[in-house]
Amino acid sequence: MTPEDSTLQPAPRPAPLRAVVFDLDGTLVDSAPDIAASLNATLVALGRGPLPLPRVLGNVGHGMRHLIARCLADSGGGAEDEALIDRALGLYRAHYAEHLADATRPYPNVPEVLEQLAESGLKLAVCTNKPEGLSQKLLAALDLAPFFPVVVGGDTVAERKPHPAPLLHAIKQLGAAPGDTLFVGDSAPDEGAARAAGARFAFHTEGYAQGPTEDYVAEFRFGRWDAFLALVRRRGVAA
């Protein structure tokens, strides 16, 4: 053993966790097909042509009004027309409320992972930019609602992600603190909210992120949910 080797120390064990908060679309569930179907039904009702799925996905993550405005811009214009956005938003919400679970499914292993996290004593919540009522309805339709006593949507507080307020509200409702909470998300608004709130962040690489993600500040990255569970178990649960 060289002098240099003798000075090497094992990597410090991550601090135990008390709570895990999840984004919804692109993180817990693959909801892109139903979002796109309702969005395109809205555009057709407005006399426009449908958009391809990748174009729709490029506008997901910043809230429903942003989605509508950007898709109007991409389909012929109107992103500055508040009356048109309001009309389109009403059409979209009505259609999506009836079809939000037609093709949407949890990512593989998500229900099993949530069950094991809950059994370990971790407190669980959802923090999404989707409206709270629709989020609750989707979670119930997919049999995920029992895992989440706290659901914070894009209309629960005055701000939306990447502002830290929704995430901090969820953490407070769980009785946890940012430093012992892991926020799990798939996009820039999620990473930004975690960083601004002082929470730890895990990046789901198989979600709906657009553009470069190399600069995301993440405690870890994962693609498979069984891998996520193993990574959380390494951190332990705070007493």
Side-chain angles (χ1 to χ4, degrees):
M1 178 181 294
T2 67
E4 290 80 5
D5 293 333
S6 65
T7 64
L8 294 177
Q9 298 293 326
R13 182 181 177 84
L17 294 169
R18 188 177 301 276
V20 184
V21 181
F22 300 88
D23 174 52
L24 186 55
D25 301 298
T27 299
L28 289 174
V29 302
D30 183 7
S31 52
D34 289 329
I35 291 173
S38 291
L39 190 282
N40 282 327
T42 299
L43 293 178
V44 170
L46 294 173
R48 304 188 181 200
L51 293 172
L53 180 59
R55 184 69 66 86
V56 175
L57 278 183
N59 297 322
V60 169
H62 296 268
M64 195 173 284
R65 193 173 188 87
H66 178 273
L67 170 68
I68 293 296
R70 294 314 310 155
C71 288
L72 286 173
D74 290 344
S75 64
E80 311 302 326
D81 187 336
E82 296 298 326
L84 178 59
I85 294 173
D86 288 341
R87 181 186 173 199
L89 189 56
L91 292 169
Y92 175 83
R93 288 188 69 131
H95 189 280
Y96 186 66
E98 296 302 318
H99 299 278
L100 81 180
D102 287 359
T104 296
R105 297 293 181 270
Y107 283 101
N109 298 314
V110 160
E112 295 82 1
V113 167
L114 293 176
E115 183 173 1
Q116 293 187 57
L117 293 176
E119 288 177 351
S120 74
L122 284 164
K123 301 176 181 181
L124 308 181
V126 163
C127 180
T128 172
N129 279 343
K130 186 192 292 294
E132 182 180 339
L134 291 174
S135 301
Q136 296 273 19
K137 184 174 183 177
L138 178 58
L139 289 167
L142 299 178
D143 297 322
L144 299 179
F147 295 111
F148 298 110
V150 173
V151 176
V152 176
D155 53 356
T156 304
V157 299
E159 305 289 346
R160 293 191 301 271
K161 299 177 295 183
H163 196 283
L167 179 55
L168 289 170
H169 182 70
I171 293 170
K172 182 178 180 180
Q173 294 300 305
L174 291 177
D180 54 32
T181 298
L182 182 69
F183 184 41
V184 188
D186 73 305
S187 67
D190 300 324
E191 189 271 345
R195 184 157 31 84
R200 297 149 72 174
F201 181 62
F203 175 48
H204 180 224
T205 59
E206 300 305 306
Y208 303 156
Q210 303 294 313
T213 62
E214 294 82 4
D215 292 338
Y216 286 7
V217 179
E219 187 160 310
F220 61 86
R221 299 166 181 247
F222 71 100
R224 300 191 331 272
W225 279 92
D226 54 348
F228 171 84
L229 183 61
L231 289 162
V232 168
R233 281 175 168 164
R234 291 180 194 172
R235 283 147 179 83
V237 178

